[in-house]
Amino acid sequence: MTKYIFFFVSIFCGFSVFAQLPQSNIYLFNMKQVSDSIFEFHQPQYLTAFNANGYNNQPSFFTNDELYISAQMPSMQQPELYLLNLRDRTKLRVTETAEGEFSPTRMPDFYNFSAIRQEYIGRDTVIRLWQFPIDRLTNGKPVFKYLQGIGYYSWINSKEVAVFVVDNPSYLALANVDTDELIPIATDVGRCIRKLPNGNLSFIQRNEAGAWTIMELSLYRRGNFTPQPIISSLGGVEDFAVLPDGSYIMGRGSKLYKFNRFRDEDWIEIADLRYYNITNISRLAISPDLKIAIVAD
């Protein structure tokens, strides 16, 4: 596998620095699973050369070839959403607002997508979940009528969203888009919330000793929400992705690890990407055809 990473097409330049989020970049590999514990990584690409000194984060595959990200260039006061077309190697700025947009996700109806919007109302900062049409013919609207303080989220179905509610203490809950009703699930949770291929919900939770554990919750027993521990997180890591077969993928430093609850006893190292100058992996996203987008410093 070559050590060279091909630059993405760039059409924007940066200017002076405003208040910036931490610098980060996004890389892409094609994954191939050879066996339970052997993976190959091919066709490396450096996707964010257009904003190498800026903030690039929260990648989300809308299709196998469409990757949405949140990016803040040095000239911007707030992050905006971008669409990276992986087939054509082009990009499109999706939002251009006074607010900041984070965590784009395609909604279950496939005609809309959602994002966290950080709004400024007077002296107050309001964090709400918004939805926008894929065709961008309107400016979008809030998903909930009253519910605010949503930091992270994952769609369960067209009517329910698992939400991380910023509060004292913050907590994980199921939110109904029609009624704004919240059903609490857990406290001391992390930012990563994923719907699994089996329909269950998975998230990170901190125990009394301060260590992170990956939890799984069956959503079919609505009267008995009792999350079950799956495996301890890698030390210092609170983000994961999930393969189509239900295997968990985590990154720490320059390495990627895999765990399948039915086949593995512990985390298995599947790649070391230090040869690509990837040294501090923070977030991951995986497409249905096994492309992997990696956020790293």
Side-chain angles (χ1 to χ4, degrees):
M1 180 168 66
T2 177
K3 296 182 181 179
Y4 298 104
I5 297 182
F6 301 102
F7 286 179
F8 221 73
V9 175
S10 174
I11 58 174
F12 290 99
C13 297
F15 298 94
S16 60
V17 176
F18 292 95
Q20 283 289 113
L21 291 163
Q23 179 180 331
S24 52
N25 278 284
I26 301 176
Y27 307 84
L28 183 79
F29 292 84
N30 286 354
M31 288 197 305
K32 180 180 179 181
Q33 186 168 1
V34 180
S35 66
D36 284 348
S37 58
I38 298 177
F39 289 72
E40 295 178 350
F41 293 78
H42 302 282
Q43 298 178 284
Q45 295 182 52
Y46 173 32
L47 299 185
T48 48
F50 68 91
N51 188 31
N53 297 317
Y55 171 83
N56 306 281
N57 218 319
Q58 288 110 33
S60 178
F61 285 97
F62 283 28
T63 68
N64 286 329
D65 295 314
E66 293 180 310
L67 183 72
Y68 278 63
I69 69 170
S70 177
Q72 183 183 4
M73 298 186 187
S75 61
M76 295 177 176
Q77 292 183 309
Q78 298 293 334
E80 305 286 359
L81 301 183
Y82 284 82
L83 164 59
L84 306 184
N85 188 306
L86 305 176
R87 182 186 63 250
D88 299 335
R89 297 198 174 193
T90 59
K91 75 175 184 298
L92 174 69
R93 183 170 174 173
V94 176
T95 59
E96 189 170 356
T97 66
E99 298 81 16
E101 282 84 31
F102 302 86
S103 302
T105 300
R106 191 158 197 171
M107 292 173 60
D109 65 8
F110 284 91
Y111 296 104
N112 295 279
F113 71 95
S114 55
I116 299 295
R117 173 171 279 181
Q118 182 174 293
E119 306 169 67
Y120 302 97
I121 302 176
R123 296 183 178 180
D124 296 327
T125 301
V126 177
I127 305 173
R128 294 194 289 178
L129 183 62
W130 277 64
Q131 70 178 63
F132 309 88
I134 290 285
D135 57 19
R136 301 180 296 280
L137 293 179
T138 71
N139 292 327
K141 63 181 181 179
V143 171
F144 300 101
K145 188 174 182 180
Y146 301 109
L147 187 58
Q148 302 176 3
I150 298 175
Y152 309 99
Y153 69 99
S154 179
W155 285 93
I156 303 304
N157 52 55
S158 62
K159 297 296 183 182
E160 290 182 303
V161 194
V163 294
F164 176 105
V165 181
V166 180
D167 205 340
N168 189 21
S170 298
Y171 61 97
L172 179 66
L174 281 185
N176 186 292
V177 301
D178 292 331
T179 65
D180 280 26
E181 178 187 7
L182 286 173
I183 303 175
I185 295 174
T187 57
D188 292 323
V189 295
R191 70 189 182 200
C192 193
I193 310 166
R194 306 277 188 186
K195 184 182 177 183
L196 300 176
N198 63 8
N200 290 346
L201 183 69
S202 190
F203 58 94
I204 291 276
Q205 186 173 33
R206 193 181 353 239
N207 61 25
E208 295 179 355
W212 293 107
T213 300
I214 295 179
M215 309 293 290
E216 184 171 338
L217 175 68
S218 172
L219 297 174
Y220 300 104
R221 300 177 181 178
R222 294 307 177 97
N224 182 25
F225 278 156
T226 306
Q228 301 297 317
I230 301 301
I231 188 173
S232 296
S233 168
L234 297 171
V237 180
E238 60 169 297
D239 194 81
F240 61 86
V242 181
L243 295 178
D245 69 354
S247 297
Y248 291 89
I249 302 292
M250 274 193 144
R252 183 174 62 183
S254 64
K255 297 180 178 181
L256 293 174
Y257 298 82
K258 165 254 185 185
F259 174 77
N260 185 294
R261 61 182 302 185
F262 301 110
R263 297 193 293 268
D264 303 325
E265 296 182 359
D266 204 346
W267 292 102
I268 297 171
E269 180 184 329
I270 59 173
D272 188 342
L273 305 176
R274 59 182 171 173
Y275 299 108
Y276 302 94
N277 294 320
I278 297 173
T279 58
N280 191 18
I281 297 170
S282 58
R283 276 190 171 94
L284 304 168
I286 296 175
S287 68
D289 66 349
L290 293 188
K291 295 184 183 75
I292 183 167
I294 299 171
V295 180
D297 295 350

